[in-house]
Amino acid sequence: MKQSFTYYITLFIIKLKGLKKDFSQDPIDYKKIRKEDVREVKGTFFKKHQTRTFTILNTSITEITSNKASGKLVLFIHGGAFISGPAKHHWDTIKTIVKQTNHTVWMCDYPKAPEHKISLISQNIDEVYNIALKTYSAHQISCIGDSVGGTLITALVQRLVQKDMELPAKIILVSPVMDATLSNPDIEKIDPRDPMLSKKGVLSAKQMCAEDKDLKNTMISPLYGSFENFPHTILYAATYDITYPDQKLTIEKLIKTNTQVAIIEGEKMPHIWPFLPVMQEAKRALKQIIDSLNE
């Protein structure tokens, strides 16, 4: 399929912002990348719909609720290479979700590396889910996460299965990072095409987050864990994204376990393309996400 004019505008903006350069540094300059973080969201919509902000362990939760609340909850675990976020595109996505689904959304601003390691971050995600279960039934909860947000959701589900706990109704993974080692040889072929990420910087961020330098720990690399008994899983994979080769391996594992899985592949799309502004392909992908949340 031919890419839209807005696709090329988006690639130009990504290049102009120097994201590829930032993610080609070792060590990665996490303080510079954090300058794009947006923690206090503004605007009329959020003033009207932001019902409360509260803390679970070290995680700040911003709850956004529609005036016509559906009774369902979306746990939104944002990406940012474990070192940053949330960013403006995350809040824009949440605004669209609340408007078009009437679901309540919890934006989960969890602790970041290098100040915190994956074990503490995972403990926070587990507790967020546990607290959610005190208000919502598991079948009323969906989880959505981009990049390492997808990592954290996948690893959360693996732990829930191990503990024989109730699972969310569905999980939506947008360009999830499934293997922190980035050792898949196919990554080297995609790296020159990826307009946003580079192996060197992403690997540096993972090393900052890893517990005892163990990049194969399933908390940070869920590809090495089990995919048995997963809930309905929807995975968005972009072919011009260095995380794509490990997503393909994940899909193979999900299919082998007979998981109800839907794969949406973005031909020539960059990392987390459904959440990017301007691009027509992003708007179509986000509409698909909305439709799946409304099912």
Side-chain angles (χ1 to χ4, degrees), residues 6 11 18 21 29 48 59 74 90 95 101 111 117 138-139 147 163 218 227 289:
T6 53
L11 292 190
K21 183 179 179 181
D29 189 348
K48 288 182 177 179
T59 296
V74 176
H90 294 120
K95 179 179 177 180
T101 68
K117 300 300 181 184
H139 71 270
S147 195
K163 297 173 185 175
T218 55
F227 289 85
I289 290 173

Side-chain angles (χ1 to χ4, degrees), residues 30-94:
Y30 63 91
K31 291 182 179 178
K32 179 184 178 183
I33 292 173
R34 282 180 186 172
K35 290 179 180 178
E36 297 294 320
D37 288 2
V38 178
R39 289 207 156 81
E40 293 186 13
V41 67
K42 298 178 181 179
T44 304
F45 176 84
F46 289 104
K47 283 182 181 179
K48 288 182 177 179
H49 296 86
Q50 180 177 326
T51 55
R52 59 177 179 145
T53 301
F54 57 99
T55 301
I56 299 174
L57 297 182
N58 307 97
T59 296
S60 175
I61 306 290
T62 302
E63 181 183 76
I64 302 98
T65 302
S66 167
N67 294 328
K68 301 176 182 178
S70 68
K72 294 183 179 181
L73 176 68
V74 176
L75 290 181
F76 193 102
I77 315 294
H78 69 80
F82 290 122
I83 58 173
S84 67
K88 184 178 182 299
H89 60 267
H90 294 120
W91 293 106
D92 290 342
T93 300
I94 287 173

Side-chain angles (χ1 to χ4, degrees), residues 254-270:
L254 287 166
I255 291 172
K256 283 182 179 178
T257 58
N258 295 316
T259 299
Q260 182 186 356
V261 59
I263 298 97
I264 296 87
E265 191 170 275
E267 184 66 29
K268 295 185 178 179
M269 291 297 116

Side-chain angles (χ1 to χ4, degrees), residues 174-179 182 184 186-187 189-191 193-194 197 223 235-252 263-273:
V174 178
S175 300
V177 185
M178 303 308 295
D179 183 358
L182 299 179
N184 192 319
D186 289 341
I187 290 173
K189 302 171 189 174
I190 296 178
D191 203 329
R193 302 175 189 166
D194 189 325
L197 303 181
L223 181 63
L235 195 154
Y236 286 76
T239 63
Y240 278 14
D241 175 4
I242 61 170
T243 66
Y244 176 65
D246 291 323
Q247 291 158 17
K248 290 203 297 183
L249 296 178
T250 301
I251 290 164
E252 289 175 8
I263 298 97
I264 296 87
E265 191 170 275
E267 184 66 29
K268 295 185 178 179
M269 291 297 116
H271 190 63
I272 68 165
W273 95 94

Side-chain angles (χ1 to χ4, degrees), residues 77-292:
I77 315 294
H78 69 80
F82 290 122
I83 58 173
S84 67
K88 184 178 182 299
H89 60 267
H90 294 120
W91 293 106
D92 290 342
T93 300
I94 287 173
K95 179 179 177 180
T96 303
I97 289 173
V98 173
K99 272 185 169 183
Q100 298 186 19
T101 68
N102 290 323
H103 297 349
T104 296
V105 176
W106 284 9
M107 160 64 93
C108 305
D109 183 3
Y110 50 86
K112 306 298 187 300
E115 296 89 345
H116 305 95
K117 300 300 181 184
I118 189 61
S119 59
L120 178 72
I121 297 171
S122 300
Q123 181 186 3
N124 274 254
I125 300 300
D126 289 356
E127 188 61 14
V128 168
Y129 186 76
N130 289 337
I131 296 297
L133 284 177
K134 292 183 178 180
T135 305
Y136 297 88
S137 299
H139 71 270
Q140 296 175 307
I141 300 174
S142 296
C143 300
I144 181 169
D146 64 309
S147 195
V148 298
T151 309
L152 292 170
I153 289 170
T154 307
L156 166 67
V157 170
Q158 289 174 336
R159 292 191 295 274
L160 293 175
V161 171
Q162 288 175 348
K163 297 173 185 175
D164 197 25
M165 290 181 63
E166 290 184 291
L167 304 178
K170 68 182 64 174
I171 60 173
I172 302 173
L173 312 175
V174 178
S175 300
V177 185
M178 303 308 295
D179 183 358
T181 72
L182 299 179
S183 56
N184 192 319
D186 289 341
I187 290 173
E188 304 291 344
K189 302 171 189 174
I190 296 178
D191 203 329
R193 302 175 189 166
D194 189 325
M196 190 182 298
L197 303 181
S198 185
K199 176 179 175 179
K200 183 184 288 186
V202 174
L203 184 58
S204 172
K206 299 296 176 282
Q207 290 168 337
M208 289 179 179
C209 188
E211 197 79 40
D212 300 323
K213 299 182 179 179
D214 181 9
L215 290 173
K216 287 191 175 182
N217 186 315
T218 55
M219 288 187 292
I220 199 169
S221 292
L223 181 63
Y224 298 102
S226 171
F227 289 85
E228 293 286 345
N229 301 313
F230 258 53
H232 182 195
T233 300
I234 303 167
L235 195 154
Y236 286 76
T239 63
Y240 278 14
D241 175 4
I242 61 170
T243 66
Y244 176 65
D246 291 323
Q247 291 158 17
K248 290 203 297 183
L249 296 178
T250 301
I251 290 164
E252 289 175 8
K253 289 194 169 190
L254 287 166
I255 291 172
K256 283 182 179 178
T257 58
N258 295 316
T259 299
Q260 182 186 356
V261 59
I263 298 97
I264 296 87
E265 191 170 275
E267 184 66 29
K268 295 185 178 179
M269 291 297 116
H271 190 63
I272 68 165
W273 95 94
F275 291 177
L276 299 181
V278 179
M279 193 165 62
Q280 288 299 317
E281 290 87 349
K283 292 178 181 179
R284 287 196 295 267
L286 184 54
K287 184 181 183 303
Q288 285 179 295
I289 290 173
I290 297 295
D291 289 344
S292 64

